[in-house]
Amino acid sequence: MGKGQKGSLDKKKGTRMRDDSPGQEDGKKCRVCRFPLLVALLQLLFGVAVAVVAFLMAAISPSLLTRETPHWAGIILCLVSLVGFILYCINYLPDERTSIQFVVKLLYFLLCTTGLVISVLAVAFAGHHHSQSSGFTCKQEGEACVCVQDSNDPIARTFTYEGVSDCEAVTGTLRFYFLLQILLNLVQALICAVGAFIMWRHRYQVFFSGLQIASPSPELWEKV
């Protein structure tokens, strides 16, 4: 009788552990809770904000380089957020139940990682130009603004901003936009890191918890 009771108790414990697995808990939650929809929404919002600020910077001076107007970073993050919305729409679950969900989750993880790297690059480019423009001495020459980092240095590097009617737009407004790009892309990089971490955690947390549930306990091995 004692052995029969122990066997029934072990079966109940195993059933309870299976019911408390992450997959079952997530299945009881609402769809918004099962997948962090907030991550995809933030990626979309900050991607649009980065692209808009970049186009405003290009409107000040068309001679700005592509790396100095990171609209590409914002557009890529908008695409990443669309993949996140697709993942939300196909009934997200932590463990892959269908092949399409596995492909979309893998694609979203890779895009989040790529977005993280691109955002860090945008921060580096904007920070470099912002540090350079902090020591600018500018003068108006026709429809261009010519700036140098050190007016006392005869061989100092010269920066020419075409299509600028007032140098205040370079030393004031453009510097502010570079600082804004640093902040936006920094937050954008953190959001991408969170999205990639969520995909990684759900994949491997369920995997290892499944191993722990499936593997017999040391007590059972001793009894055998």
Side-chain angles (χ1 to χ4, degrees):
M1 293 294 291
K3 291 183 179 179
Q5 290 179 353
K6 288 183 179 179
S8 61
L9 288 174
D10 291 337
K11 289 182 180 178
K12 289 181 181 179
K13 287 182 180 179
T15 306
R16 190 176 299 171
M17 290 175 69
R18 291 189 187 95
D19 293 338
D20 294 339
S21 62
Q24 294 292 334
E25 290 180 356
D26 289 336
K28 297 176 183 178
K29 296 180 182 179
C30 60
R31 294 184 67 184
V32 178
C33 301
R34 283 185 297 192
F35 177 73
L37 185 61
L38 182 62
V39 174
L41 287 174
L42 289 175
Q43 286 176 337
L44 181 61
L45 292 176
F46 278 92
V48 171
V50 169
V52 169
V53 173
F55 287 124
L56 290 175
M57 295 168 66
I60 292 177
S61 177
S63 62
L64 286 172
L65 300 176
T66 304
R67 67 184 183 185
E68 296 168 349
T69 55
H71 55 272
W72 36 272
I75 294 173
I76 291 175
L77 260 293
C78 291
L79 296 177
V80 175
S81 67
L82 292 179
V83 177
F85 289 131
I86 294 173
L87 182 59
Y88 167 74
C89 291
I90 61 174
N91 195 14
Y92 176 82
L93 289 172
D95 52 338
E96 293 82 6
R97 301 292 177 86
T98 60
S99 58
I100 185 172
Q101 188 179 108
F102 172 76
V103 171
V104 176
K105 286 177 71 174
L106 179 61
L107 180 61
Y108 186 68
F109 174 79
L110 294 176
L111 288 177
C112 282
T113 307
T114 305
L116 172 62
V117 176
I118 289 175
S119 299
V120 171
L121 285 176
V123 170
F125 290 143
H128 176 67
H129 199 104
H130 183 268
S131 63
Q132 285 183 331
S133 61
S134 60
F136 275 176
T137 301
C138 303
K139 62 179 180 179
Q140 194 72 34
E141 292 185 2
E143 294 185 357
C145 181
V146 180
C147 302
V148 292
Q149 287 184 309
D150 188 1
S151 57
N152 297 323
D153 188 358
I155 59 172
R157 185 179 176 183
T158 302
F159 298 85
T160 303
Y161 297 90
E162 301 289 344
V164 179
S165 58
D166 186 6
C167 287
E168 180 63 26
V170 175
T171 58
T173 307
L174 198 58
R175 281 192 62 201
F176 171 73
Y177 282 156
F178 277 120
L179 181 60
L180 190 59
Q181 284 287 5
I182 294 173
L183 297 176
L184 289 175
N185 282 283
L186 187 60
V187 177
Q188 191 170 247
L190 293 176
I191 295 172
C192 287
V194 170
F197 173 74
I198 289 173
M199 292 295 100
W200 177 85
R201 186 194 65 178
H202 280 183
R203 180 66 185 92
Y204 288 96
Q205 183 181 21
V206 173
F207 176 74
F208 286 118
S209 63
L211 285 180
Q212 292 174 0
I213 293 172
S215 61
S217 62
E219 296 178 357
L220 292 177
W221 282 109
E222 292 177 359
K223 290 179 180 180
V224 174

